[in-house]
Amino acid sequence: MSSMVNGSHDWPQNVGIINMEIYFPSAFVEQSELESYDGVSAGKYTIGLGQTRMGFCSDNEDVNSLSLTAVSRLVKKSGISYGDVGRLEVGTETIVDKSKSVKSVLMKLFEDSGNSDVEGVDNTNACYGGTAALFNCVSWIESSYWDGRYAIAVCADIAVYAKGSARPTGGAGAVAMLIGKDAALILDRGLRATHVQHVYDFYKPDMSSEYPLVDGPLSIQCYLAALDKCYQLFCQKALKKKNMSCDLSTFDAVLFHTPFCKLVQKSMARLALNDFVKTSKDERLAKFPGMDKFLEVELEKSYFDKEVEKAFMTFSKDLFEAKTKPSLNVATNVGNMYTPSLYGGLVSYLCSISPEELAGKRVGLFSYGSGLVSSFFSLRISSDIAPMSPLSMLKRSLNDVQSRLESRTKIPPADFEAIMQLRESVHHKSPYVPVAKPDDLFPGTWFLGSVDEKHRRHYDLAKPIQNGHA
Ligand code: ACO
C-alpha cells in the first residue's frame, strides 16, 4: 500500500474517502407517537420537522463506545490492520472527559498491533468536528509528514435535548471513514469555502448536563446565513481557482448537515435563491420563470420571509427530490447525530443508487457546527466500478445499513422519556454500573461496562457479529 520512499513520494492523487462505516443505536422512538405523548399537534414532528424516527442510547453507551464500534467495524470491513493506520482524528461535541481525548480511548483497539505511532486528536465545535477530522486526515495525506499509511476520521455524538420543543431533533450515532489516495470519493483538491463566526446559537456551558443551551430560531438563522456565505464563497473560488462557473447544476447531489429534514429542504431552496440573486437581472426571468416578484429580494432580510421561502421551496422541489432527498434516509430515521449527520447523509446517498449511477457524480457538501464553524466543499465519485474497485468495496461495505435500520427495536415514548431521565440522573456518576442490558444492542457493539470510583471508564464488546452481519 505504501508509496513512501526515503521520505519522498509522489504527491498522492485522488485523495478522499476509501471506505465508510455507520453505527446508530438499536433503539428508536416513533416521532408520530412522540407527538401524541408530548401533546403537540399531529404532524408537528413528522411533517413540520420532517422526522420519522429518533434513535437514542441508554446508559450503557457513550461517545467512546460509539467510536470504538464504528472504528473497529471499519477496520474489519476494510480488511486492513491497525498497523496500516498512521492518523486517527475524532470529531465530537459529546464530552465525557475535559482532558482525555476520545482518540486516546480508541488506541485500545490498536494495542495488539503494537502500533502507537498514530497522529491526531479530537476536534470540537458542535456538529462541525467530523469535517475538521476529515480535512485534517486529507491534509496529512497531502503533506510532507505522510508516511504512506491510511488515515481514519471518526465522528460520533449523542444528541439529547431537555424536554421541550428541541427534544424531537435529537439522535445518536457514529460514522468512521477510511481516508487515503485512489479513493472512491475524491475530495476536490484546492477548492472549499469556510465561514466562521462568534455567536451563541447553541452551546454547552453546563458541564454537569448533557443538554445544550439552544436558541432555536437563532440557530436556524445562523445555519442559513452560513450556508449563504459558504456557497457564495465556494462559487467565487471555483471561478477564480478552477475557471468553473458554479450553480446548482454543477452538482449531481447536494448534501447538508441535517438538524432536521425540513431545514434541509429549506436549505436547497436557499441555494436556489442564491443562484437567483447572483444571476443578472436580464437573465433571471428566463432562468427562473414565475419568480419576477422577487427581483428585489435581499438575502440577509429573507431568512424568515415565508413568501420567499415558500416560492423557492416550490421552485426547487424537483431539485430537492433529485439531488438531496435520497441523502435524508438516515437523518429522518435516526435524527440529528450531530458530527456524523452530514456523513450519515453521504452514506444514505451512496446506498440510494447503484455503482453505475454513482460513477463520476459530483457531490456538494455543507457542514455546519453552531457557535459557529461551517464549510462548503465538494467531492467526485470515482468512475471505476470494477468489482474490486474502492467504489464497489464501499458499496458492499454499506450493504447492511437498511436492514440494520429496519431491525431496530421500537420503544414507547414513556420508556424513552424514562431512559432520558436515567441518563440525566447518572451523568458523570462514579462509581457506576449501567443498568441497560448489552443484549439489547446490535451484535458486535462496544458498550460501557462500568465507571470506577476514579471515573475511569471500562468498555466491553456485546455478543460477537455472526456471519459478518451485525
Ligand atoms: N403539522 C405540520 N406542520 C406543523 C405542525 C403540524 N401539526 N405543527 C407545527 N408545524 C410546523 C411549523 O409550522 C413549523 O414549520 P416552519 O418552520 O416551516 O414554519 C415547524 O413545524 C416547526 O414548528 P415550530 O413551532 O416552529 O417549532 P418549535 O419552535 O417548537 O421548534 C426548533 C423547532 C426551533 C427547530 C426546535 O426543535 C429546536 O430548537 N431544535 C434544536 C435546534 C436546531 O436543530 N437548530 C438547527 C441548526 S443548529 C444544530 O444543528 C443543532
Side-chain angles (χ1 to χ4, degrees):
M1 58 164 284
S2 172
S3 65
M4 175 78 170
V5 184
N6 296 332
S8 70
H9 49 74
D10 294 332
W11 203 30
Q13 297 299 311
N14 299 326
V15 177
I17 301 166
I18 295 174
N19 202 3
M20 299 180 83
E21 173 62 8
I22 185 166
Y23 172 76
F24 38 78
S26 61
F28 72 89
V29 61
E30 196 78 50
Q31 292 278 10
S32 57
E33 292 179 8
L34 204 55
E35 285 167 351
S36 86
Y37 182 78
D38 288 349
V40 302
S41 56
K44 181 167 180 183
Y45 304 161
T46 47
I47 300 167
L49 300 176
Q51 294 305 112
T52 311
R53 294 171 165 181
M54 178 166 55
F56 64 94
C57 299
S58 189
D59 64 341
N60 61 348
E61 291 191 273
D62 66 13
V63 66
N64 293 332
S65 71
L66 300 186
S67 304
L68 283 163
T69 302
V71 170
S72 57
R73 286 190 189 180
L74 177 77
V75 168
K76 188 168 183 187
K77 281 187 172 176
S78 304
I80 61 168
S81 87
Y82 285 98
D84 294 333
V85 179
R87 192 169 188 106
L88 173 62
E89 294 269 350
V90 178
T92 187
E93 58 166 294
T94 310
I95 308 297
V96 293
D97 188 292
K98 283 183 279 179
S99 164
K100 183 172 163 54
S101 61
V102 176
K103 154 68 182 282
S104 64
V105 178
L106 292 174
M107 291 310 290
K108 178 184 168 70
L109 297 170
F110 288 69
E111 277 167 12
D112 288 348
S113 73
N115 175 25
S116 61
D117 177 16
V118 186
E119 291 187 3
V121 287
D122 295 3
N123 299 264
T124 298
N125 192 95
C127 306
Y128 186 83
T131 299
L134 171 64
F135 288 178
N136 285 349
C137 289
V138 169
S139 296
W140 176 67
I141 289 167
E142 293 187 346
S143 79
S144 66
Y145 296 99
W146 185 51
D147 61 7
R149 292 185 293 167
Y150 295 109
I152 291 178
V154 57
C155 29
D157 275 305
I158 295 175
V160 281
Y161 291 92
K163 196 166 165 53
S165 65
R167 180 158 275 183
T169 61
V175 171
M177 296 175 268
L178 185 68
I179 315 294
K181 67 185 177 98
D182 302 326
L185 313 176
I186 302 151
L187 266 69
D188 279 324
R189 191 165 257 181
L191 179 59
R192 65 188 184 213
T194 290
H195 172 69
V196 189
Q197 194 182 331
H198 172 46
V199 56
Y200 283 114
D201 60 329
F202 164 115
Y203 51 111
K204 294 178 177 168
D206 181 357
M207 303 295 167
S208 67
S209 168
E210 277 197 294
Y211 301 140
L213 284 186
V214 56
D215 180 336
L218 178 63
S219 72
I220 292 168
Q221 180 177 331
C222 289
Y223 177 104
L224 295 174
L227 176 64
D228 287 352
K229 293 256 191 233
C230 286
Y231 182 60
Q232 287 160 13
L233 190 57
F234 181 91
C235 291
Q236 286 163 22
K237 287 187 177 180
L239 192 59
K240 198 170 162 195
K241 296 184 81 173
K242 309 270 180 187
N243 199 22
M244 180 176 101
S245 88
C246 164
D247 58 24
L248 278 175
S249 67
T250 308
F251 307 102
D252 300 294
V254 191
L255 317 186
F256 301 84
H257 165 57
T258 307
F260 51 94
C261 295
K262 197 61 172 288
L263 184 59
V264 166
Q265 192 171 354
K266 291 181 182 183
S267 297
M268 193 57 166
R270 197 74 204 166
L271 294 189
L273 175 63
N274 270 268
D275 283 354
F276 175 77
V277 167
K278 76 170 185 220
T279 304
S280 71
K281 284 196 175 171
D282 296 344
E283 282 180 296
R284 267 191 213 168
L285 297 183
K287 286 192 175 168
F288 297 84
M291 308 305 269
D292 32 323
K293 68 184 288 195
F294 301 109
L295 280 176
E296 304 303 326
V297 72
E298 291 176 52
L299 286 171
E300 296 76 18
K301 292 184 182 161
S302 63
Y303 299 121
F304 295 107
D305 184 327
K306 288 288 169 199
E307 196 186 2
V308 173
E309 181 184 285
K310 190 161 176 255
F312 279 87
M313 277 176 85
T314 305
F315 179 83
S316 61
K317 188 169 181 294
D318 291 347
L319 287 171
F320 169 73
E321 296 280 337
K323 297 185 189 227
T324 300
K325 198 172 176 190
S327 69
L328 296 179
N329 188 34
V330 168
T332 195
N333 282 299
V334 178
N336 186 0
M337 300 190 290
Y338 286 166
T339 50
S341 168
L342 176 63
Y343 302 98
L346 187 53
V347 165
S348 302
Y349 173 64
L350 294 168
C351 289
S352 72
I353 48 177
S354 66
E356 289 76 12
E357 291 167 297
L358 287 170
K361 292 267 193 295
R362 172 158 277 128
V363 182
L365 301 101
F366 174 63
S367 179
Y368 177 84
S370 291
L372 66 85
V373 184
S374 58
S375 293
F376 195 99
F377 61 107
S378 61
L379 58 82
R380 185 170 48 78
I381 300 178
S382 165
S383 300
D384 182 0
I385 53 165
M388 296 314 289
S389 65
L391 180 57
S392 298
M393 187 179 92
L394 173 56
K395 282 287 286 179
R396 281 196 293 277
S397 203
L398 299 175
N399 260 346
D400 64 344
V401 173
Q402 190 57 31
S403 59
R404 270 196 280 144
L405 274 174
E406 285 163 13
S407 67
R408 293 177 300 162
T409 306
K410 185 166 86 168
I411 305 294
D415 294 1
F416 160 71
E417 189 164 311
I419 290 170
M420 290 299 104
Q421 278 165 3
L422 170 70
R423 285 190 68 91
E424 268 180 52
S425 64
V426 302
H427 185 58
H428 284 314
K429 195 169 169 193
S430 137
Y432 182 66
V433 177
V435 296
K437 294 191 202 71
D439 284 355
D440 293 338
L441 302 169
F442 285 123
T445 301
W446 283 92
F447 65 95
L448 178 66
S450 63
V451 185
D452 71 17
E453 65 290 349
K454 287 187 168 178
H455 288 270
R456 292 174 301 195
R457 289 167 180 253
H458 304 279
Y459 297 91
D460 291 307
L461 196 54
K463 56 186 182 280
I465 301 172
Q466 279 160 6
N467 304 324
H469 293 290

